[in-house]
Amino acid sequence: MSARKKVAVLMAAAAVIVAAVYIAWVLDVNDVGVQPSVESGYYDQFLFAEGADVTALLEQTVDQADQLPAPDGEESDAVTWYDGALLAPWLPNCAEMGAVQAVRGGVYHIHYVPKEPRNCAQVSLCYLDGYTSSVTVTLKNGETHYANVAPPPAPPSTSAPAGPEELLEEALADPAGWADGGLYAGLGLAALFDGELLDRAAQIDPACEDPLASDRAFVLIDGAGLTPEEAAVRLLEELLEYYSQEREGCGFQLTDYAVAAQELLGREEIAALAERSMQAEETPYLMRLALRDIRENYPWPPEGMWCLVPEVRVDWNGYLKLPGGAFRIWGELNDLTPAGGTGPVWVLIHDDGQWWLQRSAALTALLAER
C-alpha cells in the first residue's frame, strides 16, 4: 500500500473515531439533564395560560395580595415581594405558587414550583412591558437553564415614535390612570368639609412608623387669608406637633422639628414634572416608564388642590423608621424626605377658607370607601 493510501485510511479511521466520541458525548450530556432549546417548546409548558391578562393580574397582586418579607440577603428599596396566589390559576403547570417580585421600573419576577418535569425544583418568569420575556428553570440537582421567550419584534412602524408631548397628552386625557384613579376629578371640594368625611378622617389610624407615612388628615377650618404655601406649613406643623405628644403604642416621640417652605404642584406643575422626566430618557419605552412612575405617585388634582412632598426635619426619642437610604445624624434635625424628593406625596385642599392636608394614598382610600 502506498504512503498516500495509508494516510487516507488513517484519516478516515480518525474521523470515525471522532464522530463516535462526539455522539457518545452528546448522549451522555443529554442523560445528565441538559434541556432542549426554546425552539423545541420545552419552555412553553411553564408559561401563563393563553388568554391570561397577566398585566391586570400583577396589578391586582400589588393592590390586594399580602406583602411578604424579602428573603435573607435580598432586601432592596427597589424590590417588593408579594404572595403570588392570584396568579396560580393562570399557570397550568403550577404545583405550588411562590412569590412575585415587583421591581421598580415595571419588571416582575414570578416564582413557582412546577408539576412537570419532576426534576424541576423552581420556575421563574420575567414579565415586563406586557409580556413574559424569559424563563429560568432550576433543577433539583442545582442546574439552572434559561431561555428568552419574548415575542418576535414588531415590524418597523411607518410613523415616528411617540415623544414626550404625545405621551403626556394621552396621559392627561385619562384621569383614571393617575394615583387617585380619577376620584379627585369629580370631587366637590366642599364635600370634604361637610361633616361625614371629616368625622371619618378623624377616626383614621394615624400610624406610628414615620410621620410622613401617617394616614391622618389635618384640617384648618379658620384659614381664611392664608396662601396655599402658608397653609401647607401650618398644617405640617400640626402634623409634627401631633407626633410630639406621648402616645400609647407609638415607638417614637418627636422632640424637635422644623418645616421648610413647601413646593406645591398643581396640574401644570405635575405635567411639567412628567415631561421633564420623560425628556431625560432616550427611548419611547423608557419614556413610558418615567411617565408611569409619575402617574403612580401623583394624583391629578382639580383646581383648589395641590400635591407636595413634605420638606420637614425632626429629632426624636425612641425608634422612628427612616425612609430608604436615610440614616440618623445624632444631635441634629434629620430630613424625613429621601434624596431626590421621592418621599410620599401629600395633598393640600382649599375651599372657602378651609384647608385639608392628607397623604394622597390615604385620601384616595377614604374617598373610595365613601
Side-chain angles (χ1 to χ4, degrees), residues 203-238:
Q203 297 170 13
I204 292 176
D205 180 3
C208 236
E209 291 183 344
D210 166 5
L212 298 189
S214 178
D215 288 344
R216 187 179 180 87
F218 292 84
V219 179
L220 186 61
I221 300 298
D222 57 348
L226 293 176
T227 66
E229 290 76 13
E230 291 170 340
V233 169
R234 195 148 147 192
L235 287 168
L236 284 171
E237 288 174 343
E238 287 194 21

Side-chain angles (χ1 to χ4, degrees), residues 23-176:
I23 292 170
W25 176 81
V26 169
L27 292 173
D28 182 61
V29 166
N30 284 336
D31 286 343
V32 299
V34 171
Q35 304 296 355
S37 68
V38 67
E39 288 78 10
S40 72
Y42 173 80
Y43 293 93
D44 293 346
Q45 64 188 305
F46 304 118
L47 301 179
F48 285 95
E50 186 176 352
D53 189 345
V54 183
T55 299
L57 288 167
L58 289 169
E59 290 176 352
Q60 187 180 2
T61 296
V62 171
D63 288 340
Q64 300 177 15
D66 292 335
Q67 189 170 325
L68 304 177
D72 291 342
E74 295 196 35
E75 292 188 9
S76 169
D77 294 332
V79 181
T80 310
W81 295 73
Y82 296 93
D83 185 339
L86 288 169
L87 302 175
W90 297 94
L91 290 163
N93 196 12
C94 176
E96 180 182 344
M97 195 64 212
V100 173
Q101 289 174 266
V103 184
R104 187 178 299 163
V107 180
Y108 297 90
H109 295 284
I110 300 139
H111 308 281
Y112 70 92
V113 178
K115 298 174 185 175
E116 298 290 343
R118 298 199 176 188
N119 67 335
C120 292
Q122 179 178 267
V123 170
S124 298
L125 306 179
C126 180
Y127 188 85
L128 64 106
D129 203 23
Y131 61 85
T132 302
S133 65
S134 64
V135 180
T136 302
V137 178
T138 302
L139 305 184
K140 291 179 179 178
N141 64 5
E143 293 179 15
T144 300
H145 301 280
Y146 167 91
N148 288 316
V149 293
S157 173
T158 56
S159 60
E165 297 81 5
E166 293 84 354
L167 292 173
L168 187 57
E169 183 178 356
E170 181 181 341
L172 301 186
D174 177 23

